[in-house]
Amino acid sequence: MAAAKRLNVLVYAGNGSTIESVRHCVFTLRRLLSPNYAVLSVQGDALTKEPWTGTCALLVFPGGADLPWCRTLNGEGNRRIKQYVERGGLYLGFCAGGYYGSSKCEFEVGNPKLEVVGDRELKFFPGTCRGLAFPGFVYHSELGARAVELKVDKTVLKEGAVPDVFSSYYNGGGVFVDAGKYKDQGVEVVASYTQKLNVDSGEGTAAVVYCKVEDGAALLTGPHPEFAPVNLDPKAGNNSFPEAIRQIEQDDKLRTDFLKACLRKLGLRVNEDTNTVPSLSRLHLTSYPPSNTSKVIDALRDIITTDEEGEEYIKDENDTFHLEKPSAWKTMGKLKDALPDSKTITTTTTTSKSSSTEGGEEIKKEGEVATDEKTTATDSTTAAAATTGEGEEAPLGGDGDDGDRILDYNDVLKRLVVHDKELPTGKETPYFNHHAYFANLKHYQEQSRDPDSEFGKNLLYGEVVTSTNTLLEKNTQLLRRLPAGFVATATVQVAGRGRGSNVWVSPAGSLMFSLVTRHEISLMKQAPVVFLQYIAALAIVEGIKSYDEGRYERLPVKLKWPNDIYALDPALSGVRRQGGSGSGHSTNETTAARESYVKIGGILVNSHYSDTEFLSVTGIGLNTTNALPTTSLTALLSALAGNPNLPAFTLEKLLARIVTTFDAFYTRFRHTGFDEYFEKMYYRHWLHTEQIVTLETEGGMRARIKGISRDWGLLVAEELGWEDRPTGRLVQLQSDSNSFDFFRGLLKRKI
């Protein structure tokens, strides 16, 4: 039986974890593991009450203090963590996480201000983790931080480039006492301290240990090999700290190689080339026709300020935007080219023709639809790079090295180029063809006999952004003035947002966009705003299947309640043999068949209430051409039997198709509500027909899913009694309050 892919790397950010340790940990793991895995932070309630174990590839405890972890997780939390590892999961503990994963913690014994001594429940390392390995530690400070030398056992780490010796950041960690004596219990010493220690380490000086735990494993460290020197502040520590950073910096490649080898030892898929964190790019505001862009700016005029030099800004709650004209931007590019010794980061692209333009208004010839006329990157990592030629992107956020260090993206000035004369050229936005998008938008609107619709005709695009949802939803002054149907899209997101604590991986090749709707309060009785997530889900699936006059109808794309998009994984299901399916699940479909589906997309809806309307931002992420982290529409298309000549999906055309489908569905929904038409369509595409689940919110009741309620979109399940016979009792569950562990058939209360 196929199992769900484990794609989440969860970094514990609950009480006790320091902000800096979490940031360092997330920064490094994303560089080494993306896009194979989604690296995200998680709180204590999530570990104790949410169904995280089925999709978690690695659970990470960073630096901090482990006593608050004990208070939060002792009992049920640690029971679930230990069971997760014993059943094949992975645990990685840095510094405090190393203490926490041992049978006993001994920290500064005899020091009345710092002493922490006690047994720990996880017991992955069967002995004691004792510290301080080196003296001088001060909580929430770099005063005791230093560089320590580690000697690596290359008989333990065998894959990839493995260093003999390297320097690592250290601040308060321990040594694993007598680690060599536990070899018969599955313990291997990965690396040892070379310098004299501050405490008795017993036999050996184990700094990093690997522990086999039944079907899973744990890797525990005393030092912080995840701390990159580029993110360390020389002014934060004592007088010797700058020299310590220099030592760590000299060995940075060796440190990275060591971390990669450790992750491979745990069985994770590691990037061969370390990914850099991309710099934010300029944002491009466009409309169709381009002259309509000025109407958007006019609506924003009362929140635009002008400085002494005549430069225009919008300062909102989350971000500050600097408004630029395309002519000014191109001039800056020319000046940059003229400067001596300027850094130029180039991208490799393959260029195809652009759609014809006429006076900046017409984007295609009569009867011609621009579908594949785009400039595309040769690989997914290229799209994150920036260039500094005329009219091309320059990185934002500081000096040229900022792309590879931790940044607070909220503090980075967002540069907004206003295109009110003509659409951006392929040179200005090489990874998004505005001409192709607007041509397809017009084509689909004409097909639906609604050519005057404004949905999708105002567009914000950025090559690299924080999150399209954040740019709109967190900047409420901007949001309140945007027209209904406004779309924000991006090639790469560096801080994408998901439902609850989830984060959707947002590499190049994903279709990522957010859509603004204005839903009047007067509509709430017949068309509750909660159904927006269902309308969006239907628009995605139907948009995919109607991408090109029904030729894609047979693609096996489905809905998981309440708002996830799943596809039949060619690697698990044998799509070639099945030839795909456009029909819904039969009532006797097996769990094994359901488990052949993997997540390829998600939806997040955020709504703001005003006196007269709900102002909503619907964020959508969909794996389109990127093969990782699960599968994609392109992979599905290539594996589908009987359709060898179907053109590949393009992001511009698919965006236009989903937006116009959403527009049509939402227009109907406003008048009819979630009526029988939508209900039948939803059930035709969803994965849950007659699925039997366990309702933990109802004391472990077994129930069979029957559908969703038409009034408020609640999941309806019928209680099952002896021999799974229905009792007639119906239970309704709210999506915002419950998490659905699809593959285990569990519904849990969401905190």
Side-chain angles (χ1 to χ4, degrees), residues 16-29:
S17 301
T18 65
I19 294 174
E20 283 304 305
S21 291
V22 172
R23 294 179 70 191
H24 277 276
C25 193
V26 170
F27 170 86
T28 294
L29 291 178

Side-chain angles (χ1 to χ4, degrees), residues 230-300:
V230 70
N231 295 315
L232 297 174
D233 181 4
K235 299 177 182 179
N238 54 34
N239 293 335
S240 62
F241 194 47
E243 174 60 22
I245 295 176
R246 189 191 65 79
Q247 293 178 31
I248 300 169
E249 193 169 27
Q250 284 182 338
D251 288 354
D252 195 43
K253 184 181 183 305
L254 300 179
R255 177 192 67 85
T256 303
D257 287 342
F258 173 77
L259 273 174
K260 286 183 177 181
C262 288
L263 294 171
R264 291 191 187 100
K265 175 76 173 176
L266 289 170
L268 297 170
R269 300 189 304 278
V270 180
N271 292 323
E272 292 303 320
D273 297 320
T274 302
N275 287 339
T276 59
V277 178
S279 298
L280 299 183
S281 66
R282 281 178 168 82
L283 302 169
H284 298 267
L285 179 63
T286 58
S287 299
Y288 180 71
S291 58
N292 282 355
T293 308
S294 60
K295 296 180 180 179
V296 178
I297 295 299
D298 287 343
L300 302 174

Side-chain angles (χ1 to χ4, degrees), residues 21-210:
S21 291
V22 172
R23 294 179 70 191
H24 277 276
C25 193
V26 170
F27 170 86
T28 294
L29 291 178
R30 282 181 177 167
R31 293 180 72 224
L32 300 181
L33 297 176
S34 295
N36 299 309
Y37 304 92
V39 181
L40 55 141
S41 60
V42 66
Q43 300 294 319
D45 281 339
L47 294 186
T48 57
K49 299 173 183 177
E50 289 190 22
W52 57 272
T53 58
T55 56
C56 179
L58 174 68
L59 178 62
V60 186
F61 274 65
D66 85 334
L67 279 180
W69 298 345
C70 293
R71 288 192 287 269
T72 301
L73 298 172
N74 275 358
E76 176 61 15
N78 286 333
R79 184 195 66 79
R80 297 185 75 194
I81 293 171
K82 191 167 185 177
Q83 185 181 74
Y84 155 74
V85 175
E86 290 172 346
R87 293 180 177 179
L90 302 172
Y91 175 97
L92 176 57
F94 292 117
C95 194
Y99 287 112
Y100 193 64
S102 300
S103 289
K104 187 174 183 179
C105 167
E106 290 184 3
F107 182 83
E108 282 292 84
V109 177
N111 184 335
K113 294 183 179 181
L114 294 177
E115 180 179 286
V116 177
V117 179
D119 294 334
R120 296 294 180 261
E121 293 182 346
L122 295 180
K123 303 184 184 300
F124 297 139
F125 175 65
T128 298
C129 184
R130 180 177 292 155
L132 298 168
F134 300 92
F137 173 76
V138 178
Y139 275 111
H140 308 293
S141 168
E142 302 278 21
L143 292 176
R146 64 178 69 200
V148 296
E149 188 178 76
L150 303 179
K151 181 173 178 56
V152 182
D153 189 337
K154 299 176 78 169
T155 65
V156 175
L157 298 181
K158 301 177 181 179
E159 292 188 43
V162 181
D164 292 309
V165 177
F166 73 98
S167 294
S168 171
Y169 174 89
Y170 169 91
N171 194 7
V175 59
F176 299 94
V177 179
D178 289 325
K181 295 182 178 180
Y182 298 104
K183 186 174 182 180
D184 60 344
Q185 297 183 46
V187 176
E188 298 177 81
V189 178
V190 176
S192 301
Y193 297 111
T194 63
Q195 294 129 314
K196 182 180 179 181
L197 300 184
N198 184 51
V199 293
D200 181 8
S201 63
E203 183 180 299
T205 56
V208 181
V209 293
Y210 171 87

Side-chain angles (χ1 to χ4, degrees), residues 187-445:
V187 176
E188 298 177 81
V189 178
V190 176
S192 301
Y193 297 111
T194 63
Q195 294 129 314
K196 182 180 179 181
L197 300 184
N198 184 51
V199 293
D200 181 8
S201 63
E203 183 180 299
T205 56
V208 181
V209 293
Y210 171 87
C211 310
K212 192 74 177 72
V213 185
E214 295 189 15
D215 293 334
L219 193 137
L220 313 178
T221 80
H224 280 283
E226 81 283 13
F227 273 44
V230 70
N231 295 315
L232 297 174
D233 181 4
K235 299 177 182 179
N238 54 34
N239 293 335
S240 62
F241 194 47
E243 174 60 22
I245 295 176
R246 189 191 65 79
Q247 293 178 31
I248 300 169
E249 193 169 27
Q250 284 182 338
D251 288 354
D252 195 43
K253 184 181 183 305
L254 300 179
R255 177 192 67 85
T256 303
D257 287 342
F258 173 77
L259 273 174
K260 286 183 177 181
C262 288
L263 294 171
R264 291 191 187 100
K265 175 76 173 176
L266 289 170
L268 297 170
R269 300 189 304 278
V270 180
N271 292 323
E272 292 303 320
D273 297 320
T274 302
N275 287 339
T276 59
V277 178
S279 298
L280 299 183
S281 66
R282 281 178 168 82
L283 302 169
H284 298 267
L285 179 63
T286 58
S287 299
Y288 180 71
S291 58
N292 282 355
T293 308
S294 60
K295 296 180 180 179
V296 178
I297 295 299
D298 287 343
L300 302 174
R301 187 58 60 187
D302 64 324
I303 60 171
I304 295 176
T305 59
T306 305
D307 67 9
E308 296 177 353
E309 298 178 355
E311 297 295 325
E312 294 184 324
Y313 297 87
I314 296 175
K315 185 173 179 56
D316 216 321
E317 294 178 20
N318 195 75
D319 297 294
T320 299
F321 302 88
H322 178 202
L323 277 60
E324 299 177 350
K325 293 288 187 181
S327 57
W329 180 39
K330 293 176 181 179
T331 300
M332 286 191 293
K334 292 178 180 179
L335 289 173
K336 187 180 288 289
D337 288 341
L339 293 174
D341 300 324
S342 61
K343 292 183 179 180
T344 300
I345 308 171
T346 58
T347 58
T348 305
T349 61
T350 57
T351 307
S352 59
K353 64 178 182 177
S354 295
S355 304
S356 59
T357 60
E358 191 170 328
E361 299 288 331
E362 291 297 320
I363 57 177
K364 65 180 180 68
K365 297 178 181 178
E366 187 67 29
E368 177 184 347
V369 179
T371 54
D372 300 314
E373 299 169 354
K374 60 183 285 189
T375 304
T376 56
T378 55
D379 60 69
S380 62
T381 58
T382 307
T387 59
T388 56
E390 178 184 350
E392 298 178 5
E393 290 289 2
L396 306 178
D399 60 45
D401 295 328
D402 278 347
D404 201 20
R405 69 172 68 223
I406 294 174
L407 286 175
D408 186 344
Y409 289 109
N410 293 339
D411 293 338
V412 177
L413 182 69
K414 313 303 187 296
R415 301 190 185 278
L416 177 60
V417 183
V418 180
H419 298 267
D420 55 1
K421 302 297 183 185
E422 60 183 5
L423 297 178
T425 66
K427 195 171 186 180
E428 290 171 304
T429 58
Y431 303 101
F432 188 85
N433 188 326
H434 286 76
H435 298 274
Y437 166 71
F438 284 115
N440 282 290
L441 184 75
K442 183 178 180 181
H443 170 72
Y444 286 129
Q445 287 175 339

Side-chain angles (χ1 to χ4, degrees), residues 4 50-55 80 560-561 566 688 691 693-694 738-748:
E50 289 190 22
W52 57 272
T53 58
T55 56
R80 297 185 75 194
K560 169 186 168 288
W561 182 84
Y566 273 60
H688 308 301
Q691 184 179 0
V693 297
T694 301
N738 296 277
S739 294
F740 196 170
D741 188 345
F742 171 58
F743 295 104
R744 293 180 60 201
L746 286 176
L747 276 162
K748 295 193 173 187

